[in-house]
Amino acid sequence: MNLRPEMRLLLRGLAGAKALVLYRGILRDPAVQALMRLLDVLLKSEISDGQEGLPAAYAEFFEALASVEETRRTPLVGSPWQNHLLNLILADSNVFSRRAESETATQFGRSLVDQVQQDLSRLQALHGLEPRALLDALNQGAPGQNWCTWDEFSQPVRSEQPSDRTTALKRYLTASQDWPDCWNLLAQYYRDNGTGIFGQYQALRWSRTRAGGSIQPIENPDLVELGDLLGCDEQKDWLIRNTRYFLSDLPANNVFVYGDRGTGKSSAVKGLLHEFRESSLRMIEISRDDLIDLPEVMRRLRGRRQHFILFIDDLSFEEGETQYKTLKAFLEGSLEAHPQNVLVYATSNRRHLIKEFFADRGDFQGEEVRGQDSLQEKVSLADRFGIQLVFVSPDQEQYLEIVRSIAKQRDLDVDPHELKLRALRWAQLHNGRSGRTARQFVDFLTGELKIG
């Protein structure tokens, strides 16, 4: 097999990405690994004058890239390969990107900048890979094969959303002829958006396994719009103001949200992600059972430029459970300084988070001598939250207003009087009046009107 000289030069230039230093983590990506193996097979086939392995190597690359494209949630910039490589670069956590997150470009040493520029030069060569050029090489290596191109896995979106900072930088790099000269733009991007998982996702969760805990992304977060929550304007205002102070690096409080079930407590907290979607806010959901890991979570978040809200939903403790002591120490009382970029927002159906019994208040034989101390231990957890917000069930008119609002959003054609009667009947039969009940009623009504 004889590759044309210019094709041989192109393939060797692409394979030069194996010499990446700071961005070496990109080489662990499945699609990148598949491409490197394909390039190896092409170059080795020229030496051995054989075609073995080419179809399988290309199939592996095609499948890996198609899998990436299948899960894409952002505008496509360039070809699927170019878009994927740009995403890897902007999300990569390495010495340069992590330092750029906390330092200005003027603080970088010359050696670090030189290496970044070398890596960017290699990455630009990899980014320049065109589908037709690769297919040309494959046809030279194994003529007669029916190679499929990989430049269009899905139809392009005709009307995209306005460009965010990520898409704007990806487009700039795609049009640029000199990536090494763009290193300072990358540094500023990392400073503004963060690196690694915190640069890619706004909603995350703490996941605990036998091997230890890790922060995992939430691919499809429930982005509630606060404007859709009715009957709790004052509570929403408190949440927004406190979060705005937090994001402005001003003193802010941990928040405890409690009250009747189905009244929008969790939705109000989750709605902050949409309210502050173009900010440094990140929300990490952590289970009550994993609160013992709080010190480790703090260690991983301390010093990051992002602002983290630890979201603990449906918080309460049974008799004998002791995880609350770790939470108490974090809120107030630990010897370790509280990270300034971390707050806790917790929700519960109960004002007193630790279940207490009448025996806790009595002076029964066999009870501990200092029973009042145990009682104070149990009721003091909620008091350590600086802001406490109560959500109560709506009255009848508020409930009906929520129903009417949701029905209007969905353009349901229903007589107002009938809507009122059916909504009230639904509340009597199902869970009483609440925002959740209103949504469940309109969900049922929507299906009924669409299908019958």
Side-chain angles (χ1 to χ4, degrees), residues 170-219:
K170 286 163 59 177
R171 286 175 174 161
Y172 184 89
L173 290 172
T174 298
S176 173
Q177 301 298 313
D178 187 6
W179 279 24
D181 196 45
C182 297
W183 72 270
N184 53 342
L185 294 178
L186 267 177
Q188 187 60 49
Y189 175 85
Y190 294 135
R191 184 170 177 82
D192 293 339
N193 294 274
T195 62
I197 194 172
F198 300 132
Q200 293 176 274
Y201 300 95
Q202 196 178 16
L204 310 106
R205 66 166 57 90
W206 175 256
S207 178
R208 194 182 189 198
T209 64
R210 290 181 179 178
S214 62
I215 298 174
Q216 299 293 328
I218 296 177
E219 298 281 355

CSV table of all heavy atoms in Angstrom, one decimal, residues 170-219:
chain,number,residue,atom,x,y,z
A,170,LYS,N,-15.6,28.2,21.1
A,170,LYS,CA,-15.4,27.1,20.1
A,170,LYS,C,-15.5,27.6,18.7
A,170,LYS,O,-14.7,27.2,17.9
A,170,LYS,CB,-16.5,26.1,20.3
A,170,LYS,CG,-16.3,25.2,21.6
A,170,LYS,CD,-17.6,24.5,22.0
A,170,LYS,CE,-18.1,23.6,21.0
A,170,LYS,NZ,-19.3,22.8,21.4
A,171,ARG,N,-16.3,28.6,18.4
A,171,ARG,CA,-16.4,29.1,17.1
A,171,ARG,C,-15.2,30.0,16.8
A,171,ARG,O,-14.7,30.0,15.6
A,171,ARG,CB,-17.7,30.0,16.9
A,171,ARG,CG,-18.9,29.1,16.8
A,171,ARG,CD,-20.2,29.9,16.8
A,171,ARG,NE,-21.4,29.1,16.5
A,171,ARG,CZ,-22.6,29.4,16.8
A,171,ARG,NH1,-22.9,30.6,17.3
A,171,ARG,NH2,-23.6,28.6,16.5
A,172,TYR,N,-14.7,30.7,17.8
A,172,TYR,CA,-13.5,31.5,17.6
A,172,TYR,C,-12.3,30.6,17.3
A,172,TYR,O,-11.5,30.9,16.3
A,172,TYR,CB,-13.2,32.3,18.8
A,172,TYR,CG,-12.0,33.3,18.7
A,172,TYR,CD1,-12.2,34.6,18.2
A,172,TYR,CD2,-10.7,32.9,19.0
A,172,TYR,CE1,-11.1,35.4,18.0
A,172,TYR,CE2,-9.7,33.7,18.9
A,172,TYR,CZ,-9.9,35.0,18.4
A,172,TYR,OH,-8.8,35.8,18.2
A,173,LEU,N,-12.1,29.5,18.0
A,173,LEU,CA,-11.0,28.6,17.8
A,173,LEU,C,-11.1,27.9,16.4
A,173,LEU,O,-10.1,27.7,15.7
A,173,LEU,CB,-10.9,27.6,18.9
A,173,LEU,CG,-10.5,28.1,20.3
A,173,LEU,CD1,-10.6,27.0,21.3
A,173,LEU,CD2,-9.1,28.6,20.2
A,174,THR,N,-12.3,27.6,16.0
A,174,THR,CA,-12.5,26.9,14.7
A,174,THR,C,-12.1,27.9,13.6
A,174,THR,O,-11.5,27.4,12.6
A,174,THR,CB,-14.0,26.5,14.5
A,174,THR,OG1,-14.4,25.6,15.6
A,174,THR,CG2,-14.3,25.9,13.2
A,175,ALA,N,-12.3,29.2,13.7
A,175,ALA,CA,-12.0,30.1,12.7
A,175,ALA,C,-10.5,30.6,12.8
A,175,ALA,O,-10.0,31.1,11.8
A,175,ALA,CB,-12.9,31.3,12.8
A,176,SER,N,-9.9,30.3,13.9
A,176,SER,CA,-8.5,30.8,14.2
A,176,SER,C,-7.5,30.0,13.4
A,176,SER,O,-7.6,28.8,13.2
A,176,SER,CB,-8.2,30.8,15.7
A,176,SER,OG,-6.8,31.1,15.9
A,177,GLN,N,-6.4,30.7,12.9
A,177,GLN,CA,-5.3,30.0,12.2
A,177,GLN,C,-4.1,29.8,13.1
A,177,GLN,O,-3.1,29.2,12.7
A,177,GLN,CB,-4.9,30.9,11.0
A,177,GLN,CG,-5.9,31.2,10.0
A,177,GLN,CD,-6.4,29.9,9.3
A,177,GLN,OE1,-5.6,29.1,8.9
A,177,GLN,NE2,-7.8,29.8,9.3
A,178,ASP,N,-4.2,30.3,14.4
A,178,ASP,CA,-3.1,30.2,15.3
A,178,ASP,C,-3.5,29.9,16.7
A,178,ASP,O,-3.7,30.8,17.5
A,178,ASP,CB,-2.3,31.6,15.2
A,178,ASP,CG,-1.0,31.5,16.0
A,178,ASP,OD1,-0.6,30.4,16.5
A,178,ASP,OD2,-0.3,32.6,16.1
A,179,TRP,N,-3.7,28.7,17.0
A,179,TRP,CA,-4.2,28.3,18.3
A,179,TRP,C,-3.2,28.6,19.4
A,179,TRP,O,-3.5,29.0,20.5
A,179,TRP,CB,-4.5,26.8,18.4
A,179,TRP,CG,-5.9,26.5,17.8
A,179,TRP,CD1,-6.6,27.2,17.0
A,179,TRP,CD2,-6.7,25.3,18.1
A,179,TRP,NE1,-7.8,26.6,16.7
A,179,TRP,CE2,-7.9,25.5,17.4
A,179,TRP,CE3,-6.5,24.2,18.9
A,179,TRP,CZ2,-8.9,24.5,17.4
A,179,TRP,CZ3,-7.5,23.3,19.0
A,179,TRP,CH2,-8.7,23.4,18.3
A,180,PRO,N,-1.9,28.4,19.2
A,180,PRO,CA,-0.9,28.8,20.3
A,180,PRO,C,-1.0,30.2,20.7
A,180,PRO,O,-0.8,30.5,21.9
A,180,PRO,CB,0.5,28.5,19.6
A,180,PRO,CG,0.2,27.5,18.6
A,180,PRO,CD,-1.2,27.8,18.0
A,181,ASP,N,-1.5,31.1,19.9
A,181,ASP,CA,-1.6,32.5,20.3
A,181,ASP,C,-2.9,32.7,21.1
A,181,ASP,O,-3.1,33.8,21.6
A,181,ASP,CB,-1.6,33.4,19.0
A,181,ASP,CG,-1.4,34.8,19.4
A,181,ASP,OD1,-0.5,35.1,20.2
A,181,ASP,OD2,-2.1,35.7,18.8
A,182,CYS,N,-3.8,31.7,21.2
A,182,CYS,CA,-5.0,31.8,21.9
A,182,CYS,C,-5.0,31.3,23.3
A,182,CYS,O,-6.0,31.1,24.0
A,182,CYS,CB,-6.1,31.0,21.1
A,182,CYS,SG,-6.5,31.6,19.5
A,183,TRP,N,-3.8,30.9,23.8
A,183,TRP,CA,-3.7,30.3,25.1
A,183,TRP,C,-4.3,31.2,26.2
A,183,TRP,O,-4.9,30.7,27.2
A,183,TRP,CB,-2.2,30.0,25.4
A,183,TRP,CG,-1.4,31.2,25.7
A,183,TRP,CD1,-0.7,32.0,24.8
A,183,TRP,CD2,-1.2,31.8,27.0
A,183,TRP,NE1,0.0,33.0,25.4
A,183,TRP,CE2,-0.3,32.9,26.8
A,183,TRP,CE3,-1.6,31.6,28.3
A,183,TRP,CZ2,0.1,33.8,27.8
A,183,TRP,CZ3,-1.2,32.4,29.3
A,183,TRP,CH2,-0.3,33.5,29.1
A,184,ASN,N,-4.1,32.6,26.1
A,184,ASN,CA,-4.6,33.5,27.1
A,184,ASN,C,-6.1,33.5,27.1
A,184,ASN,O,-6.8,33.7,28.1
A,184,ASN,CB,-4.0,34.9,26.9
A,184,ASN,CG,-4.2,35.4,25.6
A,184,ASN,OD1,-4.4,34.7,24.6
A,184,ASN,ND2,-4.0,36.7,25.4
A,185,LEU,N,-6.7,33.3,25.9
A,185,LEU,CA,-8.2,33.3,25.8
A,185,LEU,C,-8.7,32.0,26.5
A,185,LEU,O,-9.7,32.0,27.2
A,185,LEU,CB,-8.7,33.3,24.4
A,185,LEU,CG,-8.4,34.5,23.6
A,185,LEU,CD1,-8.9,34.4,22.1
A,185,LEU,CD2,-9.1,35.7,24.2
A,186,LEU,N,-8.0,30.9,26.4
A,186,LEU,CA,-8.3,29.7,27.1
A,186,LEU,C,-8.2,29.9,28.6
A,186,LEU,O,-9.1,29.4,29.4
A,186,LEU,CB,-7.4,28.5,26.6
A,186,LEU,CG,-7.9,27.7,25.5
A,186,LEU,CD1,-6.9,26.6,25.1
A,186,LEU,CD2,-9.2,27.0,25.8
A,187,ALA,N,-7.1,30.6,29.0
A,187,ALA,CA,-6.9,30.8,30.4
A,187,ALA,C,-8.1,31.6,31.0
A,187,ALA,O,-8.6,31.3,32.1
A,187,ALA,CB,-5.6,31.5,30.6
A,188,GLN,N,-8.5,32.6,30.3
A,188,GLN,CA,-9.6,33.4,30.7
A,188,GLN,C,-10.9,32.6,30.8
A,188,GLN,O,-11.8,32.8,31.7
A,188,GLN,CB,-9.8,34.7,29.8
A,188,GLN,CG,-10.9,35.6,30.4
A,188,GLN,CD,-10.5,36.2,31.7
A,188,GLN,OE1,-9.4,36.7,31.9
A,188,GLN,NE2,-11.4,36.2,32.7
A,189,TYR,N,-11.1,31.7,29.8
A,189,TYR,CA,-12.3,30.9,29.8
A,189,TYR,C,-12.3,30.0,31.1
A,189,TYR,O,-13.3,29.8,31.7
A,189,TYR,CB,-12.3,30.0,28.6
A,189,TYR,CG,-13.5,29.0,28.5
A,189,TYR,CD1,-14.7,29.4,28.1
A,189,TYR,CD2,-13.3,27.7,29.0
A,189,TYR,CE1,-15.8,28.5,28.1
A,189,TYR,CE2,-14.3,26.8,29.0
A,189,TYR,CZ,-15.6,27.2,28.5
A,189,TYR,OH,-16.6,26.3,28.6
A,190,TYR,N,-11.2,29.4,31.4
A,190,TYR,CA,-11.1,28.5,32.6
A,190,TYR,C,-11.4,29.3,33.8
A,190,TYR,O,-12.0,28.8,34.8
A,190,TYR,CB,-9.7,27.8,32.7
A,190,TYR,CG,-9.5,26.9,31.5
A,190,TYR,CD1,-8.2,26.9,30.9
A,190,TYR,CD2,-10.4,25.9,31.1
A,190,TYR,CE1,-7.9,26.0,29.9
A,190,TYR,CE2,-10.1,25.0,30.1
A,190,TYR,CZ,-8.9,25.0,29.5
A,190,TYR,OH,-8.6,24.2,28.5
A,191,ARG,N,-10.9,30.5,33.8
A,191,ARG,CA,-11.1,31.4,35.0
A,191,ARG,C,-12.6,31.7,35.2
A,191,ARG,O,-13.1,31.8,36.3
A,191,ARG,CB,-10.3,32.7,34.9
A,191,ARG,CG,-10.4,33.6,36.1
A,191,ARG,CD,-9.3,34.7,36.0
A,191,ARG,NE,-9.4,35.6,37.1
A,191,ARG,CZ,-8.9,35.4,38.3
A,191,ARG,NH1,-8.2,34.3,38.5
A,191,ARG,NH2,-9.0,36.3,39.3
A,192,ASP,N,-13.3,32.0,34.1
A,192,ASP,CA,-14.7,32.4,34.1
A,192,ASP,C,-15.6,31.2,34.4
A,192,ASP,O,-16.6,31.3,35.0
A,192,ASP,CB,-15.1,33.1,32.9
A,192,ASP,CG,-14.4,34.4,32.7
A,192,ASP,OD1,-13.9,35.0,33.7
A,192,ASP,OD2,-14.3,34.9,31.6
A,193,ASN,N,-15.3,30.0,33.8
A,193,ASN,CA,-16.2,28.9,33.8
A,193,ASN,C,-15.8,27.7,34.6
A,193,ASN,O,-16.6,26.8,34.8
A,193,ASN,CB,-16.4,28.4,32.3
A,193,ASN,CG,-17.0,29.4,31.4
A,193,ASN,OD1,-18.3,29.5,31.4
A,193,ASN,ND2,-16.3,30.2,30.8
A,194,GLY,N,-14.5,27.7,35.0
A,194,GLY,CA,-14.1,26.5,35.8
A,194,GLY,C,-13.5,25.4,34.9
A,194,GLY,O,-13.6,25.5,33.7
A,195,THR,N,-13.0,24.4,35.5
A,195,THR,CA,-12.4,23.3,34.8
A,195,THR,C,-13.0,22.0,35.1
A,195,THR,O,-13.8,21.9,36.1
A,195,THR,CB,-10.9,23.2,35.1
A,195,THR,OG1,-10.8,22.9,36.5
A,195,THR,CG2,-10.2,24.5,34.8
A,196,GLY,N,-12.8,21.0,34.3
A,196,GLY,CA,-13.3,19.7,34.5
A,196,GLY,C,-14.8,19.6,34.6
A,196,GLY,O,-15.5,20.3,33.9
A,197,ILE,N,-15.3,18.9,35.6
A,197,ILE,CA,-16.7,18.6,35.7
A,197,ILE,C,-17.4,19.9,36.1
A,197,ILE,O,-18.6,20.1,35.7
A,197,ILE,CB,-17.0,17.5,36.7
A,197,ILE,CG1,-18.4,17.0,36.6
A,197,ILE,CG2,-16.6,18.0,38.1
A,197,ILE,CD1,-18.6,15.8,37.5
A,198,PHE,N,-16.8,20.8,36.8
A,198,PHE,CA,-17.4,22.1,37.3
A,198,PHE,C,-17.5,23.1,36.1
A,198,PHE,O,-18.3,24.0,36.2
A,198,PHE,CB,-16.7,22.7,38.4
A,198,PHE,CG,-16.6,21.8,39.6
A,198,PHE,CD1,-15.4,21.5,40.3
A,198,PHE,CD2,-17.7,21.1,40.1
A,198,PHE,CE1,-15.4,20.7,41.4
A,198,PHE,CE2,-17.7,20.3,41.2
A,198,PHE,CZ,-16.5,20.1,41.9
A,199,GLY,N,-16.7,22.9,35.1
A,199,GLY,CA,-16.8,23.7,33.9
A,199,GLY,C,-17.9,23.3,33.0
A,199,GLY,O,-18.3,24.0,32.1
A,200,GLN,N,-18.3,22.0,33.1
A,200,GLN,CA,-19.2,21.5,32.1
A,200,GLN,C,-20.7,21.5,32.7
A,200,GLN,O,-21.6,21.6,31.9
A,200,GLN,CB,-18.8,20.0,31.8
A,200,GLN,CG,-17.6,19.8,31.0
A,200,GLN,CD,-17.2,18.4,30.9
A,200,GLN,OE1,-16.6,17.7,31.7
A,200,GLN,NE2,-17.7,17.8,29.8
A,201,TYR,N,-20.8,21.3,34.0
A,201,TYR,CA,-22.2,21.0,34.5
A,201,TYR,C,-22.5,22.0,35.6
A,201,TYR,O,-21.6,22.4,36.4
A,201,TYR,CB,-22.3,19.6,35.0
A,201,TYR,CG,-22.1,18.6,34.0
A,201,TYR,CD1,-20.8,18.0,33.8
A,201,TYR,CD2,-23.1,18.2,33.1
A,201,TYR,CE1,-20.6,17.0,32.8
A,201,TYR,CE2,-22.9,17.2,32.1
A,201,TYR,CZ,-21.7,16.6,32.0
A,201,TYR,OH,-21.4,15.7,31.0
A,202,GLN,N,-23.7,22.4,35.7
A,202,GLN,CA,-24.2,23.2,36.8
A,202,GLN,C,-24.8,22.4,37.9
A,202,GLN,O,-24.7,22.8,39.1
A,202,GLN,CB,-25.2,24.3,36.3
A,202,GLN,CG,-25.4,25.4,37.2
A,202,GLN,CD,-26.4,26.5,36.7
A,202,GLN,OE1,-27.1,26.2,35.7
A,202,GLN,NE2,-26.4,27.6,37.2
A,203,ALA,N,-25.4,21.3,37.6
A,203,ALA,CA,-26.0,20.4,38.6
A,203,ALA,C,-25.3,19.1,38.7
A,203,ALA,O,-24.9,18.5,37.7
A,203,ALA,CB,-27.5,20.1,38.2
A,204,LEU,N,-25.0,18.8,39.9
A,204,LEU,CA,-24.2,17.6,40.2
A,204,LEU,C,-24.7,16.9,41.4
A,204,LEU,O,-25.6,17.4,42.1
A,204,LEU,CB,-22.7,17.9,40.4
A,204,LEU,CG,-22.1,18.9,39.3
A,204,LEU,CD1,-21.9,20.3,39.9
A,204,LEU,CD2,-20.7,18.3,38.8
A,205,ARG,N,-24.1,15.7,41.7
A,205,ARG,CA,-24.5,14.9,42.9
A,205,ARG,C,-23.3,14.3,43.5
A,205,ARG,O,-22.3,13.9,42.8
A,205,ARG,CB,-25.6,13.9,42.6
A,205,ARG,CG,-25.2,12.8,41.7
A,205,ARG,CD,-26.2,11.7,41.8
A,205,ARG,NE,-27.6,12.1,41.5
A,205,ARG,CZ,-28.1,12.1,40.2
A,205,ARG,NH1,-27.3,11.7,39.2
A,205,ARG,NH2,-29.3,12.5,40.0
A,206,TRP,N,-23.3,14.1,44.8
A,206,TRP,CA,-22.3,13.3,45.5
A,206,TRP,C,-22.7,11.9,45.5
A,206,TRP,O,-23.8,11.5,46.0
A,206,TRP,CB,-22.1,13.8,46.9
A,206,TRP,CG,-21.1,13.0,47.7
A,206,TRP,CD1,-21.4,12.1,48.7
A,206,TRP,CD2,-19.7,13.1,47.6
A,206,TRP,NE1,-20.2,11.6,49.2
A,206,TRP,CE2,-19.1,12.1,48.6
A,206,TRP,CE3,-18.8,13.8,46.8
A,206,TRP,CZ2,-17.8,11.9,48.7
A,206,TRP,CZ3,-17.4,13.6,47.0
A,206,TRP,CH2,-16.9,12.7,47.9
A,207,SER,N,-21.8,11.0,45.0
A,207,SER,CA,-22.1,9.6,44.9
A,207,SER,C,-21.1,8.8,45.7
A,207,SER,O,-19.9,9.0,45.5
A,207,SER,CB,-22.1,9.2,43.4
A,207,SER,OG,-22.3,7.8,43.3
A,208,ARG,N,-21.6,8.0,46.6
A,208,ARG,CA,-20.8,7.2,47.5
A,208,ARG,C,-20.8,5.8,47.1
A,208,ARG,O,-21.9,5.2,47.0
A,208,ARG,CB,-21.2,7.4,48.9
A,208,ARG,CG,-20.2,7.0,49.9
A,208,ARG,CD,-20.7,7.2,51.4
A,208,ARG,NE,-19.7,6.9,52.4
A,208,ARG,CZ,-20.0,6.7,53.6
A,208,ARG,NH1,-21.2,6.6,54.0
A,208,ARG,NH2,-19.0,6.5,54.5
A,209,THR,N,-19.6,5.2,47.0
A,209,THR,CA,-19.5,3.8,46.7
A,209,THR,C,-18.5,3.2,47.7
A,209,THR,O,-17.9,3.9,48.5
A,209,THR,CB,-19.0,3.5,45.3
A,209,THR,OG1,-17.7,4.1,45.2
A,209,THR,CG2,-19.9,4.2,44.3
A,210,ARG,N,-18.3,1.9,47.6
A,210,ARG,CA,-17.4,1.2,48.5
A,210,ARG,C,-15.9,1.7,48.3
A,210,ARG,O,-15.1,1.7,49.2
A,210,ARG,CB,-17.4,-0.3,48.2
A,210,ARG,CG,-18.7,-1.0,48.7
A,210,ARG,CD,-18.6,-2.5,48.5
A,210,ARG,NE,-19.9,-3.1,49.0
A,210,ARG,CZ,-20.1,-4.4,48.8
A,210,ARG,NH1,-19.2,-5.2,48.3
A,210,ARG,NH2,-21.2,-5.0,49.3
A,211,ALA,N,-15.7,2.1,47.0
A,211,ALA,CA,-14.3,2.6,46.7
A,211,ALA,C,-14.1,4.1,47.2
A,211,ALA,O,-13.0,4.6,47.1
A,211,ALA,CB,-14.1,2.5,45.2
A,212,GLY,N,-15.2,4.7,47.6
A,212,GLY,CA,-15.1,6.1,48.1
A,212,GLY,C,-16.1,6.9,47.3
A,212,GLY,O,-16.9,6.5,46.5
A,213,GLY,N,-16.2,8.2,47.7
A,213,GLY,CA,-17.1,9.1,47.1
A,213,GLY,C,-16.6,9.9,45.9
A,213,GLY,O,-15.4,10.1,45.7
A,214,SER,N,-17.5,10.4,45.1
A,214,SER,CA,-17.1,11.2,43.9
A,214,SER,C,-18.3,12.1,43.5
A,214,SER,O,-19.4,11.9,43.9
A,214,SER,CB,-16.7,10.3,42.7
A,214,SER,OG,-17.9,9.5,42.3
A,215,ILE,N,-17.9,13.2,42.9
A,215,ILE,CA,-18.9,14.1,42.4
A,215,ILE,C,-19.2,13.8,41.0
A,215,ILE,O,-18.4,13.8,40.1
A,215,ILE,CB,-18.4,15.6,42.5
A,215,ILE,CG1,-18.1,15.9,44.0
A,215,ILE,CG2,-19.4,16.6,41.9
A,215,ILE,CD1,-17.5,17.3,44.2
A,216,GLN,N,-20.5,13.5,40.7
A,216,GLN,CA,-20.9,13.1,39.4
A,216,GLN,C,-21.9,14.1,38.8
A,216,GLN,O,-22.6,14.8,39.5
A,216,GLN,CB,-21.7,11.7,39.5
A,216,GLN,CG,-20.8,10.6,40.0
A,216,GLN,CD,-19.7,10.2,39.1
A,216,GLN,OE1,-19.8,10.3,37.9
A,216,GLN,NE2,-18.6,9.8,39.7
A,217,PRO,N,-21.8,14.2,37.4
A,217,PRO,CA,-22.7,15.2,36.8
A,217,PRO,C,-24.2,14.7,36.7
A,217,PRO,O,-24.4,13.5,36.7
A,217,PRO,CB,-22.1,15.3,35.4
A,217,PRO,CG,-21.5,14.0,35.1
A,217,PRO,CD,-21.0,13.5,36.5
A,218,ILE,N,-25.1,15.7,36.7
A,218,ILE,CA,-26.5,15.4,36.4
A,218,ILE,C,-26.7,15.9,35.0
A,218,ILE,O,-26.8,17.1,34.7
A,218,ILE,CB,-27.4,16.1,37.4
A,218,ILE,CG1,-27.2,15.5,38.8
A,218,ILE,CG2,-28.9,15.9,37.0
A,218,ILE,CD1,-28.0,16.2,39.9
A,219,GLU,N,-26.9,14.9,34.1
A,219,GLU,CA,-26.9,15.2,32.6
A,219,GLU,C,-28.2,16.0,32.3
A,219,GLU,O,-28.1,16.9,31.4
A,219,GLU,CB,-26.9,13.9,31.8
A,219,GLU,CG,-25.6,13.1,32.0
A,219,GLU,CD,-24.5,13.7,31.2
A,219,GLU,OE1,-24.7,14.6,30.4
A,219,GLU,OE2,-23.3,13.1,31.3
